[in-house]
Amino acid sequence: MKFLSRTQVLKFKSVLKCGKIDPSSKKFSSSSWSNGPPPPSETNGKVFCFTNENPTKVKVTRISVYDVCRVLETGPWGPAIEDALNVFDEMPQPELVVGVIRKLKNVNTALQFFRWVEVKTEKAHDPVAYNALLMLMARTRSLDHFEQIIEEMSMAGLEVSHNTCIELVARFVNSRQVREAFVIIETMRKFKFRPAFSAYTTLIGALSASHECDLMLTLYHQMQELGYEVSMHVFTTLVRVFAKEGRVDAALSLLDELKSNSFNADLVLYNVCINCFGKVGKVDMAWKFFHELKAQGLVPDNVTYSSMIGVLCKAERLDEAIELFEELDLNRSVPCVYAYNTMIMGYGSVGKFNEAYSLLERQKKKGCIPSVIAYNCILTCLGRKGKLEEALRIYEEMKKDAAPNFPTYNILIDMFCKAGKLEDALKVRDAMKEAGMFPNIMTVNIMIDRLCKAQKLDEACSIFLGLDHKVCTPDIVTFCSLIDGLGRHGRVNDAYSLYEKMLDSGQTPNVVVYTSLIRNFFNCGRKEDGHKIYKEMIHRGCSPDLMLLNAYMDCVFKAGETEKGRALFEEIKAKGLIPDVQSYSIVIRGLVKAGLPNETYQLFYEMKEQGLHMDTRAYNIVIDGFCKSGKVNKAYQLLEEMKTKGLHPTVVTYGCVIDGLAKIDRLDEAYMLFEEAKSKGVDLNVLIYNSLIDGFGKMGRIDEAYLILEELMQKGLATNTHTWNCLLNALVKAEEIDEALVCFQNMKNLKCSPNELTYGIMINGLCMIRKFNKAFVFWQEMQKLRLKPNTITYIAMISGLAKAGNVLEAKGLFQRFKASGGLPDSACYNAMIEGLSNANKALDAYTLFEETRLKGCHIYSKTCVVLLDALHKADCLEQAAIVGAVLREMAKSQHATRLP
């Protein structure tokens, strides 16, 4: 039916008022309305209203839904819109309101109209109008006023229809806004509404795809509270997700709940349990389910057997997998292809390729030609083992039984690119084209990613630049791989240029791209550029996820920006994200590195209060922090806690605690832990041996230090400079200088280069036993190697030369030391004063004497006596008088301290 224009409506109204209606005219006939006005659907959106002014006169007016919508869509709500609506002199009817809301596309406009009608009619809306408004929110996926409307409906005692509830949830689920869909359900429950059963099942299914276990569990409990009977399908979905996420306890609790409610698990649930529990490493539990389903009278099907075989193969329990496979194959007249493929993959994964080939032949003998999947399984395993030639042979044999598909070619291209053989990879690509399969973006992405990892960056860039964008357009993965590859190998400017090209091509960078750019700029020492990338990301409206913030925070701490790192940790919380184990580990490691290990204690307990599951890496970081802050007992307790939780301490764990114990002279405990680590098969490294050598050496237990060194060398570990420095330092402290000289020579014989500290230890030791000439030889050797002496070495050498009478060398060295910013100590000054005095350089000695007093360094009595004698010999009586006065003051001071 054709809509009347506004002019026609007004004209018709004037005809009615004048009573000029021809009863015989069909144009305005109302004979078909004898039983009342037609419904809106029959009047094309027109709502008719009759008002009896008197018994003989009827006033009929019509408001078109189309006209109202046209008015509302002219602009934002305001006085002009209200004036235009007020032109309609009759009251809006419920049918009109519903019709208008259903046609509008903007929730805010609909809500303004909704409120205007309330004021105009002075009546509350009916449930249909409210549900229409909610349906509009569903269509536009806007929840800005959702809670307000739901609250109004609750207070008015109105119901949200099941269809409305289902539509709301479905719309948000379809647009992958599952958290918003969850908010809908939660809001409805908040105001005591009963969400539809289908809304729950739809949302639980969507949440399972995004692994939102806790939200799923909340919905499941709500369904139970509302009295809904949870189907086995929903229950299976819950168990699957919890098991896949490794939350075994929660999954088992659900299964116990199923049994307590007298429900019997079906074969599908058992298959899910076998597959999911097995994949997270709970092989024995998967076996338990396999036997349990048999005990329940259920017959394992092909999926059951194949899942269990796959679980056993993944755990490298091949003998059990073979036994189960043979049991399956014996009872099947037709081979189970999936089981064969799984077993072939199992053999290939452990390198038993002959057995895998035998299965192919066995399959053929049973009249079942192996599929392309079976061959792809073998090719994949050959690729992992780097058996390129063998893979090419199988590829040729494969063509007799099955035509290669996209994965086949991609596997071969992947293998060639990993091996850095770009030309061969391109030949496979050409063969792919000849077979009528043109390389897709996945093929390109594999080539670029593998070439980047093989450090063939120019070749990767060449492939990218050679792409025909009309046939194969680069996607987000292409850009991510190349940007990250360039950045990781220091070409951050090229990576940023590619990022700009990505923006120009219309691609929207994701957090992975930004994470790569930030990390690689920091790694190249360009932290300011890293900060700019983060700001640019925020400016472009890309919200950082927890992974990006963790990476950014790690970079900031490593760059020494401790306060900025702390601020980022607080920003994670402020953004509504929950810090994970990695977040806490980064902060703890950053604070330890910044010399603030004491603050790790509070963070550790905060992490435990959050209920975070700490892995071995997290424990290692916390243990390291405790050891460096002197809380070795706490570190030791955490090591024991790891064992009780079934976590295996690594070489890092043992190394931290052994080093911590050795540093506080608890060497017997450190050695016991060292023996424990060896007994558990932990592959100890040279750092742990160094800690023990250093600890035993500092305690003067030289023989034990030697035994540790001997074991280190017998194990085949290469000693490093620190190993020898620890031993040399111990020998020097014990005044075993001759032994130290032998060790120094052994160190050089083993091609282990001495460093500044090595020479410093030797020079200091030789000066201690007054072998100044030998010490000077080491000094000269050090200079030839262009090693920079530290303050202790300078002072030892200056003092030694002065005491040996080599005053000119000592004086020159002393001047160079001060010119380089060195600060001589009291021992150095006194040695120089005595040396100059003994060399008949009394005035030079006196000048240095005044400098020493000015610097606030202590002057020895013996030094004053030697200087005084030199000054008298040189007839420097005035200076001698001053030195004598200083000597007398020192004597008085010493006498005063002896008085009771």
Side-chain angles (χ1 to χ4, degrees), residues 183-449:
V183 168
I184 291 167
I185 297 285
E186 286 292 282
T187 306
M188 289 182 69
R189 291 298 302 131
K190 178 181 175 181
F191 294 105
K192 310 302 180 186
F193 286 101
R194 182 186 177 90
F197 178 84
S198 295
Y200 275 111
T201 55
T202 300
L203 184 51
I204 286 173
L207 289 168
S208 71
S210 54
H211 309 290
E212 296 279 5
C213 304
D214 294 322
L215 299 186
M216 291 172 67
L217 195 59
T218 301
L219 294 176
Y220 167 70
H221 288 146
Q222 280 185 20
M223 290 179 77
Q224 289 179 313
E225 289 170 11
L226 292 169
Y228 285 132
E229 185 178 338
V230 181
S231 67
M232 188 59 72
H233 174 72
V234 170
F235 195 86
T236 303
T237 302
L238 281 163
V239 172
R240 179 190 288 115
V241 174
F242 273 103
K244 276 187 176 179
E245 290 295 301
R247 295 176 63 174
V248 177
D249 292 339
L252 290 174
S253 294
L254 285 167
L255 291 168
D256 289 338
E257 187 177 328
L258 180 76
K259 291 175 183 176
S260 66
N261 291 330
S262 301
F263 285 108
N264 293 321
D266 59 9
L267 186 61
V268 174
L269 179 55
Y270 274 114
N271 287 346
V272 165
C273 289
I274 289 167
N275 186 48
C276 295
F277 280 99
K279 282 183 176 177
V280 294
K282 304 293 181 181
V283 183
D284 292 332
M285 199 170 287
W287 256 132
K288 172 184 167 292
F289 285 117
F290 183 83
H291 294 303
E292 187 179 304
L293 77 89
K294 285 184 173 181
Q296 295 292 330
L298 298 171
V299 179
D301 61 4
N302 287 346
V303 175
T304 317
Y305 276 104
S306 300
S307 297
M308 194 66 230
I309 291 166
V311 167
L312 292 167
C313 287
K314 186 181 177 184
E316 296 188 3
R317 291 165 62 167
L318 212 60
D319 292 339
E320 294 169 86
I322 293 166
E323 185 180 343
L324 202 60
F325 174 77
E326 294 298 339
E327 180 185 315
L328 169 66
D329 202 40
L330 184 67
N331 298 320
R332 298 289 189 277
S333 55
V334 177
C336 173
V337 174
Y338 186 69
Y340 267 86
N341 292 345
T342 305
M343 200 66 236
I344 286 168
M345 190 74 178
Y347 278 128
S349 296
V350 295
K352 292 189 174 184
F353 292 106
N354 289 332
E355 288 83 348
Y357 303 149
S358 296
L359 273 189
L360 286 177
E361 294 303 317
R362 180 168 159 184
Q363 201 173 350
K364 290 177 187 178
K365 287 176 182 177
K366 288 199 171 191
C368 183
I369 298 173
S371 68
V372 66
I373 296 172
Y375 283 103
N376 285 347
C377 287
I378 293 177
L379 289 173
T380 300
C381 295
L382 288 168
R384 288 174 184 169
K385 302 291 182 183
K387 294 180 177 289
L388 189 55
E389 297 301 323
E390 182 74 3
L392 290 174
R393 185 183 69 79
I394 294 298
Y395 167 66
E396 293 301 325
E397 285 188 16
M398 170 189 182
K399 294 176 184 177
K400 300 172 187 175
D401 296 328
N405 60 6
F406 266 111
T408 312
Y409 289 111
N410 285 342
I411 291 165
L412 290 171
I413 288 170
D414 186 22
M415 291 174 70
F416 280 121
C417 288
K418 274 182 180 176
K421 296 184 176 182
L422 180 60
E423 290 183 7
D424 292 319
L426 293 173
K427 285 178 184 176
V428 174
R429 186 191 65 180
D430 294 339
M432 191 178 183
K433 290 179 182 177
E434 289 172 11
M437 288 179 279
F438 288 91
N440 55 17
I441 194 61
M442 184 181 290
T443 312
V444 172
N445 288 345
I446 288 170
M447 294 181 76
I448 288 175
D449 181 64

Side-chain angles (χ1 to χ4, degrees), residues 59 67 130 181 185 269 315 420 440 537 539 574 614 629 631 666 713 746 757 805 863:
K59 179 182 179 183
D67 285 337
Y130 272 103
I185 297 285
L269 179 55
N440 55 17
M537 177 191 73
H539 177 71
M614 290 178 63
S629 61
K631 297 183 175 71
R666 288 165 60 178
M713 297 176 79
N746 286 335
L757 184 58
T863 305

Side-chain angles (χ1 to χ4, degrees), residues 643 648-652 654 672-685 688-689 711 715:
K643 297 175 192 174
H648 299 291
T650 63
V651 63
V652 177
Y654 281 110
M672 285 173 63
L673 208 56
F674 172 73
E675 290 295 328
E676 179 189 305
K678 286 195 293 182
S679 69
K680 290 190 174 182
V682 176
D683 193 16
L684 300 179
N685 57 26
I688 294 178
Y689 283 95
E711 184 180 322
K715 195 178 177 183

Side-chain angles (χ1 to χ4, degrees), residues 116-178:
W116 177 80
V117 171
E118 283 179 331
V119 174
K120 186 82 173 174
T121 61
E122 297 181 355
K123 291 180 182 179
H125 290 285
D126 62 11
V128 180
Y130 272 103
N131 277 282
L133 193 57
L134 292 176
M135 286 292 240
L136 176 59
M137 291 179 182
R139 288 199 312 276
T140 58
R141 290 183 290 280
S142 171
L143 295 178
D144 291 344
H145 306 284
F146 179 73
E147 185 168 339
Q148 174 192 348
I149 296 300
I150 290 292
E151 185 177 8
E152 281 183 31
M153 292 180 74
S154 176
M155 292 175 69
L158 305 176
E159 285 295 327
V160 177
S161 75
H162 279 212
N163 286 342
T164 303
C165 178
I166 293 166
E167 184 70 12
L168 274 164
V169 170
R171 289 276 185 166
F172 281 94
V173 163
N174 290 340
S175 61
R176 297 181 181 179
Q177 295 173 277
V178 289

